[in-house]
Structures are given as C-alpha cells and as structure tokens.
Amino acid sequence: MPQLSASEFSLVYNAFSFTFAAMFATFIFLVLSRPNVAPKYRNALTLSALVVAIAGYHYLRIFESWQAAFVVNDQGAYVASGKPFNDAYRYIDWLLTVPLLVAELVAVMTIAKGKGWLTFRLATAAALMIILGYPGEIATTLDSNGNPIVDTGARALWGLFSTVPFIYILYELFVGLGPAIQKETGEVRVLLRNIRLLLFATWGFYPIVYLIPILSGGAQMTAGVLLAVQVGYCIADVAAKCGYGIMIYAIAKAKTDAEPEAMKIGAAAAVAGD
Amino acid sequence: MPQLSASEFSLVYNAFSFTFAAMFATFIFLVLSRPNVAPKYRNALTLSALVVAIAGYHYLRIFESWQAAFVVNDQGAYVASGKPFNDAYRYIDWLLTVPLLVAELVAVMTIAKGKGWLTFRLATAAALMIILGYPGEIATTLDSNGNPIVDTGARALWGLFSTVPFIYILYELFVGLGPAIQKETGEVRVLLRNIRLLLFATWGFYPIVYLIPILSGGAQMTAGVLLAVQVGYCIADVAAKCGYGIMIYAIAKAKTDAEPEAMKIGAAAAVAGD
C-alpha cells in the first residue's frame, strides 16, 4: 500500500462510510415501500433489498479492512500496517449481487413467457463474468528482483474471458429485451430504457478499473490511483445498487398505477402473507 | 484538539449518545406509526424514517471518533490522542439527509402538479448547499510559523457560495409554497407554517457555527468553542431531524383525519400488510 496523508486516508474512509449509509438507507426504503406496489412486482423489490443489504454488509467489512491496513507514523502519515487491505470482499459481493441485479430487472418486466429461463441465463452469465475476472485480479508474477508484481498477461487474459459473458448480458438487454420494452408505454418505457443505460454505464466502470494495473505495466499502485479506484468503486456501487434499486421501485410503482386492478388481484396473496 | 477536563469530555460524549438514542427512537416511532396515515402520505414518513436512520448511524460513528480522539493523561485530563476527530461524518450525513428533509416536506403537501420537479429542484439545491460548504470547512493555510490554520478567506468564499442555494430553498419555502399552504385549513395550515419555521430556525444554526472560525480569525479552537459547537450541533440535529420528522407525521395524520376517504383508497395497500 502506498503512503497516504491524513486527508487522503479520510477521503476513502468517508467514501466507504457514505456508501454503507446509502446501502442501508436504500434497504429501509425498499422494505417500507414494498407494499406500495402490486404483489406481482414485490419480488423485484425483495431482490433489490437483498442486493443493498448484501452490499452494505460487505462495505462494513471493507471499511474495517481499510482501517486495519494503515497505521499512523510519527509524522502523522498513514503507512501500511502490514495487514492486507482485503479487496476480495468486492468479488464475493459481486458474485452474490450481480446475478440478483439482472434478476430484479427481469422480475419487474412484463414478459409473456420464459421469464425463469431468461433469469437463469442472465444470472449465470453474470456469475461467470465475476468468476472469470477473479483469477486475473489475484494473478501475480515475480519481477527481476524476485518481488511479486501484477501479472499483466494473466490479468489481460482472464479479463478477456470475463468480457464474453458481459457482452452476452449486453446483447440480451439491448437486443433480446428490446421488444418487451417497446410494448410498454409512457413513463414505464422511459424508465426501462434509462435503467438499461444506468446498468451499462455503471457496469462499464469496473473493467476500466480492472485495466489500470495493465495500463501502468504492473507498477506499484500510487496513492492517486488507489484513491481514484476506491472512491470510483463507491460511486459506481451507489449508482449500480441504490440508484438502480430505486429505479426498479419507480418502474414497479408506475406499472402499479397504470393497472389499478393489479393491486386488488394480489389482495388474497397479500393476506396469505405474500 | 484542545485539552478537556473529564466533565467537558463527558458532556460532549453524553450529547452524542443522547442524539443517537433520539434518532433511533424516532425511527421506531415513524416506522410503527406509518400505517396510521393514508397511503398517499406514507412516502413522507418513509423518507423521515430514512433521515433519522442515516443520522443515527453517523452519530454512532462520530461518537466512536470522539472516544478515539482523546486519551487520559496522568493528571486525569483528556488530551489529543493524535487520531483526528472526524467531523466530516457530518457533511456525509447532511449530503444524504438534507435533500431528504426537503423531499419529505414536499411529499406530505398537497400540490396539484409538478411535485416531482419541485422535489428535484429543492433536493439539488440542498445537496449543492452541502457540497459548496465542504471545501471551506476543510480549507487550511499556514501561519507565520508554518503550522496549519483555518483559511478564513477560503472559508468565507465557499460559505458565501453555499448561501446561494440556501436562499433559493428559503425562497421556494416561503414564497413558492405559500399558495399551497394557504389552501389548507385549520390544524394542517398551522402545522405547515410551523414546520417551515422549524426548518428555518434549525438550518440557520449551521451557518453560525460555520462562521465561528472566521470570527475568531482562524485561531485555535478553544475548549469552550469546541463544546458549544458539538453540543449545539446535537441540539440542532435533534430538532431538525427528530422534531421535524414527528411534525411531518402530525401533518400526515391531520390530513388523514380530514379526509377519511383517503384511508380507504389505499385499502388494498393496507391489506397488503402495510
């Protein structure tokens, strides 16, 4: 870990705290707002709530790991404590949440048939994307002095493998789901188009971060890059999980308002504990 | 950090603990009381609950940071431990909660159209107010001995920038929302006028605290000022978040009582376990 000033350390620390707060606040919002939508859309909100709960838990862990990874030296600078900063939490988080993110989008959409099979295909592709990226993330090799450095070759290769399911997901979202989105009208159609763009924009951030060590030739991470990556991940996670979850709610609410009967149809189910 | 006596340290410590307890108690009250109001006002209570949950979390953190920032010396006095007292939590808290506070006020009001757009304008102005204040809060410069001191010039400048969106919010509340409040009758009108005054009075406290280092010419913070600021923030936060949230509930309840039909319209939602 590079040496950080007190304000650099605090910037990341505060970004983690902010992200944790955003995750649990979104969780409360989704749980409390779930009865406002028709029963058939509540499953989508349940999945959204799971995503922010899981991510909130992992941000608590990342937060603790960040604190443990540094000690303050005599000059007031933050230097590596020797304990590793455990970034692997992010992969565990993604392995659980990324398949749920695609599943919640399918759950809120009106698709005549094959909904279960589509969810399975997208969730599997999402999990594969994470699993294939991981060996590249941890791949190290030895430099001429025998010190471990990033294995840029292995990282590039596994990154490439991981891109294949990502492209498949984009294909399904932008081509496969096109007709179902076209069938919607007004606000719902606009919201579905926007959420698809949000997913594309936020998910696109992660491969860029993944590329940084390759672009820098496996060099030691500088303080600037470390800060940009960690704060960047926080912003991307808040947009991709909290922002996305609230948009899922907005879609479910707009669809409920457009079909008042849907609320009644679920009354029996709701009484039965939903 | 200035040196504190045991009772000075405890005063702030207890104020933080009190504020945390007030926040989570208000959270429980709002969640439990939510079904008492008509479904169309429940969103306002959800937002109020989020505000106190987020603030409660940040008070826990501030509390921990306060404990870590001091050690007891041989004479029983509390002296700086070297770990910074992280006041930045307040800014993170405000960044999340202040836009929600204006949003919950709009959510509980009866506004014929453009509610979403008004919420967006007010929430954006609230976020801008916080974001513009922050660079001034952390701006430091060097004194003649090379020690970091408060940069009063930068603080005044950013404080001025931050005042612009604040004035815009006051304009919307006192001029823009005037007709909507006039249309209400009896208790609801009184409550809406009072909550507007509460918002003005509590929010007005924060710029006063912001000015202290400027008025003192950037001098080291004395124990007296530190205590006044921290206890003052606690009182302002309890009024602006717990008191405000309970008034939002009172407004929603008064409106529900005035229109018994509103409760029935949401019957399906209510049956759904809400």
Side-chain angles (χ1 to χ4, degrees), chain A residues 20-269:
Chain A
F20 171 71
M23 294 293 172
F24 88 69
T26 308
F27 175 77
I28 296 170
F29 173 79
L30 291 170
V31 170
L32 291 181
S33 303
R34 205 167 147 280
N36 300 354
V37 306
K40 62 177 169 174
Y41 301 124
R42 283 184 199 156
N43 206 27
L45 266 66
T46 304
L47 298 180
S48 307
L50 289 187
V51 165
V52 288
I54 295 169
Y57 162 72
H58 284 111
Y59 264 94
L60 259 195
R61 291 278 177 208
I62 293 170
F63 188 86
E64 282 172 6
S65 177
W66 178 255
Q67 282 183 280
F70 289 92
V71 285
V72 182
N73 70 8
D74 295 343
Q75 284 80 47
Y78 284 75
V79 293
S81 69
K83 288 190 186 170
F85 172 52
N86 188 350
D87 226 8
Y89 284 124
R90 297 198 182 280
Y91 274 83
I92 304 172
D93 177 64
W94 294 335
L95 188 59
L96 288 162
T97 57
V98 175
L100 287 171
L101 285 170
V102 288
E104 65 189 77
L105 180 58
V106 177
V108 87
M109 289 185 70
T110 308
I111 297 168
K113 54 181 182 175
K115 214 165 169 170
W117 172 228
L118 176 64
T119 303
F120 177 80
R121 290 201 314 269
L122 283 171
T124 306
L128 266 180
M129 180 175 80
I130 306 302
I131 291 168
L132 291 172
Y134 189 63
E137 181 73 53
I138 57 164
T140 53
T141 183
L142 299 178
D143 69 3
S144 51
N145 300 320
N147 296 318
I149 54 163
V150 172
D151 184 344
T152 52
R155 197 179 182 92
L157 189 68
W158 287 107
L160 203 65
F161 291 158
S162 171
T163 308
V164 177
F166 181 45
I167 288 173
Y168 169 72
I169 294 169
L170 292 182
Y171 168 80
E172 284 285 11
L173 291 181
F174 285 84
V175 182
L177 288 180
I181 293 176
Q182 285 308 319
K183 255 186 248 158
E184 302 286 353
T185 53
E187 195 187 349
V188 174
R189 194 200 283 189
V190 174
L191 283 168
L192 281 172
R193 279 185 184 158
N194 288 348
I195 201 170
R196 203 167 58 168
L197 288 177
L198 177 70
L199 190 149
F200 179 59
T202 52
W203 289 26
F205 180 78
Y206 303 96
I208 295 170
V209 172
Y210 194 87
L211 279 174
I212 291 175
I214 300 177
L215 298 178
S216 66
Q220 275 277 329
M221 191 169 264
T222 62
V225 171
L226 177 67
L227 262 58
V229 165
Q230 295 303 331
V231 174
Y233 272 145
C234 289
I235 296 169
D237 277 341
V238 169
K241 296 187 169 103
C242 304
Y244 188 88
I246 292 166
M247 279 184 80
I248 290 282
Y249 168 72
I251 293 167
K253 187 74 174 68
K255 293 183 103 169
T256 301
D257 292 344
E259 37 181 339
E261 285 303 307
M263 205 74 184
K264 275 188 216 155
I265 289 165

Side-chain angles (χ1 to χ4, degrees), chain B residues 170-186:
Chain B
L170 293 181
Y171 169 81
E172 284 285 10
L173 291 181
F174 285 85
V175 181
L177 289 181
I181 294 177
Q182 286 308 318
K183 255 186 248 159
E184 302 286 353
T185 53

